[in-house]
Amino acid sequence: MKQFFLTVAGVFVGLMLFLVGVPFLLIVMAAGATRPAPVPAHSVLHLDLRGGLTDQAAQNPFAAFGGGGTSVMSVIETLRRAETDDKVKALFVRLPEGGMAPATADELRLAFRHFRSVGKKPIYAHSQGLYPSGMITSTYMLGAASSEFWMQPDSSFQAVGVASEAMFFKRFFDKYGVKAEYEQRHEYKNAVNPYLYSDFTPAHRESQLSWMGSVYRSALTTAAADRMKDPAVLIRDLEAGPYSAQEAQAKGLIDRVGQVNDVQTLALSRAGKGAKLIEFDDYAARSKRPSAKTGPAIAVIGAEGPIVTGTSGSASPFGGDSTVYSDDVAKAIYDATADKDVKAIVFRVSSPGGSDTASEQILAAVKAAKAAGKPVVVSMGTYAASGGYWISSGASSIIAEPTTLTGSIGVYGGKFAVGDALARFGVDTREVHVGGDYAGAFGAGDGFTPDQRAKFSGWMDRIYAGFITRVAEGRKLPPERVREIAKGRVWTGEQAKQLGLVDELGGFYQAVDKAKSLANLKGEVRLKRMDGGKSPFEALEQALGISSTSMRTLAASAWILGDPRSEAILDELATARLRAAPGGASVLADTPVR
């Protein structure tokens, strides 16, 4: 009993410290943020890309506790300010040793090129090694866009190509009595192929090699142009590797060899007397300028991650993963439509898809904005595939990076039947139901009956046909043409443009220019963010105010205390919600290798 009271007292003290201490800390931080230190007269910005990037800034104020970090959007916006800031003399970039999401590298490259051409300022990139992990050629491409590309002496240069590996579970399932009962529309909708087959199907292999080849060629053609080399020569030299840093320099693949301190010292010496190295996030906070409150504006609305129904209020306030909640995004679009100052909308999409009904809710909001006379321009990030393409298809214009993964116009759904597998361990699954036979279709014990399979198949056909119809209407293409290029196939932005699924190739600021053009806006136009993120106090109220009797509070507390078991379970449940929801159909694409 004594231990019990000690435990209760400890929990009470911990909660009081959290409820009082965290708000106090946030207030102190907010007060400090109003008086940022001035930027030194001679500054070199330090951008470290080794920790990875999200596409968009986290709306959740506690996302950093869940692993959230710098975003692509914050980097490119900050570079736009820095390029005209006389105090900023150069940019020093630390490259990751592995691959990058191709469209992320494309977007950053555009920002680097703009920084160099408009600001007339150098960029020094340094790598401690390039290893064959994911899209390593995209990392190399970004380094090639710098003024000087450095590598650490004797480090490994292995940007020789791109590989992707998949695990197939069919033989494992057969051995242990698991049945994967899934329907696909159609042969290129490969997200569940690992459960259904023991190897790549011809369509799966074709699709993978097609988009991977497009990304590879795009990255190296771009790198060759930036390094003023013949693309064929560059590809030949890269594929003949791997090399040491010194060998890569000798072949003209990089510029210089040296330690991190060497390039940092050189950058500071060239920046002027007394130059200081400033962390990128620190500069971003210091250099923010108050935006105008009135006048014509372009609304910027973001959507990153899997698409689900509901609002962010149903999620843990301490999670770092991005999710597109249909209620939140649709509301933001309707709010922008009703705002008299907003003349157009730039909708930034980076999503592999998700729920068809959630996607439809967002698409309806996009159509409503257009009907109200406000152009909607989609800027595609890392991917805008399947449901991500569904919500984009009705836009006034779609702009994608050359390596954005898009399309995947298709649908899949089904279940795992594990009754036979569990029976081998003495676990018997029995189901009862009332009503029609289809009420029990998604029980986990047995596979579909023939009648259930026929009804489920018909439902999948209707969802697929609806997807085709929406794309045909939004893109002004004949339905027959959409069916030819759909079938669940993933395309790169470059390929999608040739097929009529994308209007232009470019990044976020190209989308802003397009929105200005469609809205007949001239000169400088303010960008008005309308994502609707929570304040820290709203997040606290959600976590600990009204939900004390729910599992949400326990989950949030476990997250705060760093319980890895709770976090793992919650992550698994989030994945299961998308991939194995009973009766659910998913317009979800394979996520790309990075």
Side-chain angles (χ1 to χ4, degrees), residues 129-391:
L130 294 172
Y131 296 93
S133 169
M135 290 295 177
I136 190 62
T137 50
S138 295
T139 305
Y140 175 73
M141 180 198 73
L142 186 59
S146 63
S147 310
E148 292 186 17
F149 191 171
W150 289 60
M151 287 192 74
Q152 183 170 304
D154 300 314
S155 61
S156 181
F157 184 100
Q158 298 187 37
V160 297
V162 175
S164 176
E165 187 175 56
M167 288 187 179
F168 293 87
F169 299 93
K170 179 66 165 59
R171 292 195 304 115
F172 175 83
F173 287 169
D174 288 345
K175 180 176 180 181
Y176 290 100
V178 177
K179 298 176 185 176
E181 298 269 302
Y182 281 93
E183 292 270 341
Q184 301 160 282
R185 299 295 183 273
H186 276 285
E187 64 266 30
Y188 294 101
K189 196 69 177 177
N190 299 313
V192 293
N193 274 21
Y195 308 143
L196 304 176
Y197 304 102
S198 298
D199 198 352
F200 289 101
T201 63
H204 193 174
R205 185 180 298 276
E206 176 191 355
S207 178
Q208 285 286 108
L209 290 175
S210 175
W211 73 257
M212 287 173 64
S214 179
V215 167
Y216 183 65
R217 289 188 300 273
S218 176
L220 296 189
T221 300
T222 300
D226 286 344
R227 291 199 63 78
M228 294 180 288
K229 292 176 70 74
D230 179 84
V233 173
L234 178 68
I235 292 173
R236 181 200 66 200
D237 288 345
L238 286 173
E239 293 181 352
Y243 305 111
S244 68
Q246 290 89 333
E247 291 170 332
Q249 181 188 21
K251 289 187 172 292
L253 299 173
I254 63 171
D255 296 302
R256 302 185 67 173
V257 174
Q259 297 290 345
V260 171
N261 190 63
D262 296 333
V263 62
Q264 181 177 309
T265 301
L266 178 68
L268 289 171
S269 67
R270 290 178 177 175
K273 186 176 181 180
K276 302 291 184 181
L277 192 71
I278 305 298
E279 292 302 321
F280 197 84
D281 289 344
D282 187 19
Y283 175 79
R286 294 190 197 187
S287 64
K288 284 184 178 177
R289 302 162 188 157
S291 57
K293 300 298 182 183
T294 59
I298 293 175
V300 178
I301 297 171
E304 180 177 10
I307 303 170
V308 300
T309 57
T311 71
S312 57
S314 62
S316 166
F318 305 106
D321 293 336
S322 298
T323 302
V324 180
Y325 293 94
S326 59
D327 283 9
D328 293 346
V329 176
K331 182 180 184 301
I333 296 173
Y334 285 124
D335 287 347
T337 303
D339 190 323
K340 293 181 179 179
D341 285 343
V342 171
K343 306 303 179 184
I345 298 169
V346 171
F347 187 21
R348 176 73 174 193
V349 178
S350 187
S351 170
S355 161
D356 61 312
T357 52
S359 300
E360 179 62 14
Q361 181 183 358
I362 296 171
L363 177 61
V366 171
K367 290 179 177 179
K370 286 176 58 183
K374 299 194 176 182
V376 180
V377 178
V378 165
S379 168
M380 291 181 168
T382 301
Y383 37 56
S386 204
Y389 191 78
W390 188 311
I391 66 177

